[in-house]
Amino acid sequence: LLEVLGRPIIEYLIERVKLAKLPKMVVLCTTHLPEDDPLERIAKKMNIQVFRGHPTDILLRWLKAAEKYNVDFIVSADGDDIFCDPEHIDKVVTHFTKTGADYIACRGLPFGASPTGIKVEALRKICELKLDEDTEGQARYFTHTGLFKVEYIEVNDPELNHPEIRMTLDYPEDFEFFKTVIQQLYRPGKIPTLREIIRFLKQHPEIVKINQHMQKEYEARYKSKYALIRLKTGTLRVEE
């Protein structure tokens, strides 16, 4: 809800996601807690669907949303991934139609620019098996359990292959990064592509450095917080 140029920053993400051509709808999934009422208002303002569910169980929230809207495949753009790439949302959908994979991720894009795809059947299966009620860090349930067909879209385009660039919103430094890019590149009626954003950042490496050093702290926190997966069949340790 932090504002840039007078708008909540999540509106910039919603605008980008709506540029994807293949998904049949966009749904903002949030919690049923009162503090998330503003997100529902934003969804309605931006003319997208909204679903409100479990406060900590992201997987269950997604499943219930998928059931409500009667879909068999979802693509997730996390709410803190403001520059998630609509071109790769479409590539994830296309990859699913070709492979029927349970879980599809992109490798090589800037950290936070990648959407992920999940077959609802796989989502239902993990919701039946998991014991955790806090399922943030949700990728691990698909990539580390050995239960699902996992596919990766390898991004080899040298202009887009920049995993060293951090594009997710967890720390004040991240907000400063996004604010700087948006103020410099966004114009009324003009949403810059990921390619245009990266070109700009290559010309201004000092902007990349605003939050780049936070990646190690993020990874350490992630590993300590999400090291275990508790399933009805046993507890797994995530090893990178």
Side-chain angles (χ1 to χ4, degrees):
L1 297 178
L2 291 171
E3 292 192 356
V4 179
L5 298 179
R7 303 176 62 196
I9 197 167
I10 195 171
E11 290 189 7
Y12 295 96
L13 169 61
I14 295 170
E15 280 184 339
R16 298 185 74 80
V17 167
K18 289 172 72 174
L19 293 176
K21 299 178 175 64
L22 297 182
K24 70 177 185 179
M25 71 178 71
V26 178
V27 183
L28 189 154
C29 294
T30 188
T31 81
H32 55 61
L33 299 174
E35 53 260 42
D36 286 325
D37 289 352
L39 290 173
E40 181 171 359
R41 291 194 290 269
I42 288 171
K44 291 177 178 177
K45 171 189 171 186
M46 302 289 288
N47 198 30
I48 63 172
Q49 304 296 323
V50 65
F51 178 84
R52 303 189 67 168
H54 198 284
T56 61
D57 194 338
I58 295 172
L59 297 177
L60 182 62
R61 195 189 311 158
W62 285 352
L63 176 62
K64 295 300 182 182
E67 291 174 345
K68 176 180 178 179
Y69 292 104
N70 192 31
V71 298
D72 58 6
F73 183 72
I74 69 170
V75 183
S76 165
D78 286 351
D80 51 7
D81 292 349
I82 308 303
F83 292 157
C84 186
D85 185 34
E87 178 184 343
H88 281 82
I89 291 176
D90 285 338
K91 287 186 177 184
V92 167
V93 176
T94 300
H95 197 80
F96 172 70
T97 61
K98 291 179 180 179
T99 67
D102 295 312
Y103 182 87
I104 302 167
C106 304
R107 286 198 291 212
L109 291 178
F111 185 81
S114 303
T116 53
I118 305 172
K119 186 192 290 186
V120 174
E121 183 182 313
L123 192 55
R124 184 173 293 109
K125 180 176 180 179
I126 198 63
C127 283
E128 291 171 353
L129 286 176
K130 68 174 184 57
L131 295 175
D132 303 314
E133 287 197 354
D134 180 349
T135 54
E136 191 177 347
Q138 54 273 13
R140 59 202 164 112
Y141 290 93
F142 302 96
T143 58
H144 286 77
T145 54
L147 298 170
F148 302 106
K149 180 182 179 182
V150 177
E151 297 268 339
Y152 292 97
I153 296 172
E154 302 290 348
V155 180
N156 297 315
D157 185 331
E159 211 168 41
L160 295 178
N161 187 288
H162 285 283
E164 76 281 0
I165 300 177
R166 179 175 167 83
M167 293 186 178
T168 193
L169 180 53
D170 293 308
Y171 305 103
E173 292 87 345
D174 296 326
F175 179 66
E176 192 63 31
F177 166 84
F178 282 116
K179 183 173 71 171
T180 302
V181 175
I182 290 170
Q183 288 175 338
Q184 291 291 324
L185 285 187
Y186 274 73
R187 299 292 180 266
K190 174 70 170 72
I191 303 172
T193 65
L194 180 63
R195 196 176 296 272
E196 289 170 335
I197 292 171
I198 293 175
R199 285 174 186 163
F200 170 75
L201 292 173
K202 295 297 283 184
Q203 295 169 357
H204 298 277
E206 72 279 3
I207 299 176
V208 175
K209 292 178 182 177
I210 290 174
N211 65 336
Q212 197 170 41
H213 63 287
M214 301 308 298
Q215 187 64 19
K216 287 185 178 180
E217 181 174 328
Y218 169 86
E219 291 173 358
R221 174 183 171 275
Y222 187 97
K223 288 177 182 178
S224 65
K225 189 172 182 181
Y226 305 121
L228 299 179
I229 300 173
R230 298 187 310 127
L231 304 176
K232 292 177 181 177
T233 53
T235 299
L236 303 174
R237 178 171 289 277
V238 176
E239 300 289 349
E240 294 296 340

